[in-house]
Amino acid sequence: MRVALKLAYIGTEFHGSQIQPNIETVEGELFKALRNLGIIESPKSANYTCAGRTDAGVHALGQVIAFDTDKPNLTIPRVINSELPSGIWVWAHAKVSRSFDARRDAVSRHYRYVMSGREYNISKIREASKLLLGTHDFENFSRTNGEKSTIRTIERIDARVDGELIKIDVVGNSFLWNMVRKIVTALFMIGKGVRDNDWLLQMLNPDIYEEGIEPAPAYGLTLLKVNYDEKIEWIEDSYSIRRASEQNQKRILRHRVMAEVLEELTSHE
């Protein structure tokens, strides 16, 4: 049987999603858990696929993986989570077709970037984001990773203010390496008045204009959702969702305390 899982993870606790030797990664921990439970023998023999790799520091809520197993009764999220560190949790599972490929069958991916918004003009960011919609050559917004084409389609970009933060949602068919984070950098440069819309239009024409820009920090980016044409009957695990929420509330409290401590350390009083 072929099974798909939805998993979430806190990217700052791992060195990226893709398995790498001698360092902690999301896939490394996941494969270890699946092998310990006897669900798969190896990613290759199980025809393992993943919706998309995320860089070190990038988080996920709706990452999707799929694999073949002869023990589907063990693919319940709470069972798999018992073998995973608290920074990774599976929260939904589904039976899928034998041909389902988590990466190739994805029709769109939804990312969200969160950043302090005190010094940016949200109106300028929203106006600039409209220029990115549709199909363009995003070579100036990527790090080359062997892709044959740098043409991508962005379906939607929404920017909104939430308290002292700005949240930018980007939905597209697929994304190049660092593409979302470099788009965010460009939008914030415009929002700060460092660049303008004419510059952004030039950036979308790499044949005649080339400029390298730094990607926004990884910790602000989350893969929220992956969408498929195939109808998938996801079964959510309420216990796993509740348990993850409890763990994250503890993290939130710790970070709030640390923020206050850092404020005191910089007050010099």
Side-chain angles (χ1 to χ4, degrees), residues 6-267:
K6 279 188 180 182
L7 63 147
Y9 47 84
I10 300 171
T12 46
E13 298 186 6
F14 305 94
H15 295 275
S17 63
Q18 186 181 15
I19 191 167
Q20 300 176 57
N22 304 320
I23 58 175
E24 289 186 340
T25 66
V26 174
E27 285 187 344
E29 296 297 327
L30 183 64
F31 295 160
K32 183 166 61 177
L34 295 176
R35 281 194 295 262
N36 288 346
L37 291 165
I39 295 173
I40 67 171
E41 291 184 4
S42 71
K44 185 175 181 180
S45 65
N47 296 314
Y48 169 87
T49 58
C50 176
R53 300 166 181 170
T54 53
D55 293 337
V58 176
H59 322 286
L61 173 61
Q63 178 70 277
V64 176
I65 65 168
F67 52 84
D68 299 333
T69 180
D70 57 5
K71 295 183 178 179
N73 59 308
L74 294 179
T75 60
I76 300 170
R78 67 187 69 183
V79 174
I80 298 172
N81 291 340
S82 69
E83 293 286 333
L84 289 171
S86 63
I88 308 171
W89 60 97
V90 179
W91 58 274
H93 70 292
K95 298 177 183 177
V96 291
S97 63
R98 295 289 295 180
S99 62
F100 177 77
D101 187 307
R103 182 176 68 85
R104 298 181 189 278
D105 292 345
V107 295
S108 67
R109 295 160 175 84
H110 180 178
Y111 285 89
R112 174 173 295 162
Y113 198 90
V114 181
M115 191 170 181
S116 173
R118 294 180 179 179
E119 53 193 284
Y120 302 103
N121 184 316
I122 189 66
S123 296
K124 288 184 177 181
I125 290 174
R126 286 172 175 161
E127 191 64 30
S129 68
K130 296 176 184 177
L131 302 177
L132 299 170
L133 297 177
T135 303
H136 303 281
D137 188 338
F138 286 94
E139 184 177 350
N140 280 328
F141 296 88
S142 68
R143 289 176 61 185
T144 56
N145 194 26
E147 294 92 348
K148 293 181 180 179
S149 172
T150 51
I151 305 295
R152 294 294 187 273
T153 300
I154 293 183
E155 301 170 7
R156 178 167 65 88
I157 301 182
D158 294 325
R160 69 183 188 278
V161 176
D162 186 356
E164 294 187 347
L165 302 173
I166 288 180
K167 297 181 178 180
I168 298 180
D169 285 43
V170 185
V171 180
N173 62 338
S174 65
F175 293 91
L176 301 162
W177 191 14
N178 284 175
M179 178 174 159
V180 177
R181 289 162 58 197
K182 289 198 173 193
I183 284 174
V184 168
T185 293
L187 291 177
F188 279 114
M189 288 170 73
I190 292 172
K192 200 172 182 179
V194 177
R195 294 287 191 273
D196 58 21
N197 288 352
D198 289 339
W199 167 80
L200 186 61
L201 289 172
Q202 286 181 308
M203 289 287 285
L204 291 172
N205 196 347
D207 288 338
I208 63 172
Y209 184 84
E210 182 177 338
E211 181 179 341
I213 55 175
E214 289 296 316
Y219 64 80
L221 184 62
T222 302
L223 172 60
L224 284 186
K225 188 177 182 182
V226 183
N227 300 303
Y228 298 91
D229 278 339
E230 178 177 334
K231 184 173 176 58
I232 301 175
E233 299 291 341
W234 292 105
I235 301 172
E236 296 186 1
D237 188 320
S238 58
Y239 172 81
S240 295
I241 293 171
R242 183 173 66 254
R243 179 63 177 160
S245 177
E246 292 170 355
Q247 292 291 331
N248 286 334
Q249 286 301 317
K250 295 178 182 178
R251 290 185 176 93
I252 290 169
L253 178 59
R254 184 169 69 249
H255 284 296
R256 284 176 176 164
V257 171
M258 277 303 302
E260 182 64 25
V261 169
L262 291 172
E263 288 285 355
E264 290 180 355
L265 290 175
T266 56
S267 65

